[in-house]
């Protein structure tokens, strides 16, 4: 079986056993998603790139201790999030840097494309305004789709803490995103970011 056809767990095991190509394949598979998590968490492309590099170095070194108690992607997310949190603690300032556009191809309608871009930027700006301790669990639970239990393990905090931080973050987001409720029913919703529909749910929670 080639590296490309192997499971993530098999690649980790192969890397730990000395396969020089296994870890590179693992990085190739998951780099884009890990980059998205780092960028959403840190807001700064340079900081995110550095955190991602540190995270993959840590994963490279710690692969031998992986015990398959969780999925490899969850394990990688935990390492990336921890690297981001470490950089948050170390940095002196928190510059606001415009985030690059991401997501699927442009919709057919130019007007819809403009509305989607505007909505995406509004939601990203709202996320950027959250305190770091609230932004990380919101990104993992509401953007990446992880459960409260998985998020708690990644961040090293209690499940109740995840819930309370998400609740506080959602309340703040609801105030900022409340005006989106008044947009037309035909407005498109971004596919890969926090959904406008979630913004409506945040208001109701």
């Amino acid at each position: 079986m080639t590296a490309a056809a192997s499971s993530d767990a098999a690649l980790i095991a192969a890397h730990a056993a000395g396969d020089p190509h296994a870890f590179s394949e693992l990085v190739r598979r998951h780099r884009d998603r890990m980059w998205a998590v780092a960028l959403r968490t840190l807001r700064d492309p340079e900081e995110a790139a550095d955190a991602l590099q540190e995270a993959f170095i840590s994963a490279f070194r710690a692969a031998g201790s992986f015990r398959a108690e969780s999925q490899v992607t969850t394990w990688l997310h935990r390492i990336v999030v921890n690297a981001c949190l470490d950089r948050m603690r170390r940095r002196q300032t928190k510059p606001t840097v415009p985030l690059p556009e991401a997501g699927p191809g442009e919709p057919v309608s130019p007007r819809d494309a403009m509305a989607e871009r505007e909505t995406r930027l509004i939601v990203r700006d709202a996320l950027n305004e959250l305190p770091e301790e609230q932004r990380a669990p919101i990104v993992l639970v509401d953007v990446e789709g992880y459960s409260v239990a998985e998020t708690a393990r990644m961040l090293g905090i209690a499940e109740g803490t995840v819930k309370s931080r998400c609740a506080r973050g959602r309340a703040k987001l609801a105030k900022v995103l409340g005006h989106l409720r008044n947009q037309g029913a035909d407005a498109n919703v971004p596919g890969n970011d926090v959904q406008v529909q979630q913004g409506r749910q945040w208001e109701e929670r």
Side-chain angles (χ1 to χ4, degrees), residues 74-181:
T74 302
W75 177 72
L76 286 173
H77 267 84
R78 184 185 304 120
I79 294 174
V80 171
V81 169
N82 285 338
C84 290
L85 294 177
D86 285 343
R87 294 196 72 82
M88 284 180 179
R89 298 184 189 105
R90 294 198 301 264
R91 67 186 182 181
Q92 297 296 318
T93 59
K94 303 168 186 176
T96 300
V97 179
L99 299 182
E101 291 298 317
E106 292 292 332
V108 175
S109 170
R111 186 178 67 178
D112 288 347
M114 291 179 63
E116 179 177 324
R117 176 179 299 177
E118 181 179 359
T119 300
R120 182 183 294 118
L121 291 175
I122 290 171
V123 174
R124 286 179 175 177
D125 287 344
L127 277 173
N128 290 346
E129 292 300 317
L130 291 178
E132 294 165 355
E133 67 173 14
Q134 294 171 12
R135 186 167 64 250
I138 285 285
V139 167
L140 289 172
V141 174
D142 290 338
V143 180
E144 294 299 318
Y146 282 95
S147 68
V148 169
E150 290 172 325
T151 299
R153 288 195 296 271
M154 289 184 202
L155 298 178
I157 57 180
E159 292 183 25
T161 303
V162 172
K163 292 178 181 179
S164 63
R165 290 181 181 179
C166 283
R168 291 197 297 270
R170 287 166 183 154
K172 293 177 182 178
L173 288 170
K175 294 178 181 179
V176 178
L177 301 177
H179 67 284
L180 295 178
R181 290 174 61 90

Side-chain angles (χ1 to χ4, degrees), residues 26 34 40 48 83:
L26 198 68
M34 300 302 140
R40 288 189 180 107

Side-chain angles (χ1 to χ4, degrees), residues 1-3 6-23 63:
M1 180 181 294
T2 64
S6 300
S7 68
D8 289 346
L11 288 173
I12 286 286
H15 167 66
D19 187 326
H21 305 295
F23 194 79

